[in-house]
Coordinates of all heavy atoms in Angstrom, one line a residue:
D68 N 105.6 88.2 119.8 CA 106.1 87.5 118.6 C 105.3 88.0 117.4 O 104.1 88.4 117.5 CB 106.0 86.0 118.7 CG 107.1 85.4 119.6 OD1 108.2 85.8 119.3 OD2 106.7 84.6 120.5
G127 N 112.5 104.4 92.6 CA 111.4 105.4 92.7 C 110.3 104.9 93.7 O 109.2 105.3 93.5
P138 N 121.5 120.5 117.9 CA 121.1 121.3 116.7 C 121.5 120.6 115.5 O 122.4 119.8 115.5 CB 121.7 122.7 117.0 CG 123.0 122.4 117.7 CD 122.7 121.2 118.6
I142 N 125.7 120.7 107.2 CA 125.9 119.5 106.5 C 124.6 118.7 106.7 O 124.1 118.2 105.7 CB 127.1 118.6 107.0 CG1 128.5 119.4 106.8 CG2 127.1 117.3 106.3 CD1 129.6 118.8 107.4
R202 N 87.0 127.2 124.3 CA 87.3 127.0 125.7 C 86.2 127.2 126.7 O 85.2 127.9 126.3 CB 88.5 127.9 126.0 CG 89.9 127.6 125.3 CD 91.0 128.2 126.0 NE 90.9 129.7 125.5 CZ 91.7 130.2 124.6 NH1 92.6 129.5 124.0 NH2 91.7 131.5 124.2

Side-chain angles (χ1 to χ4, degrees):
D68 280 313
I142 298 172
R202 288 192 289 254

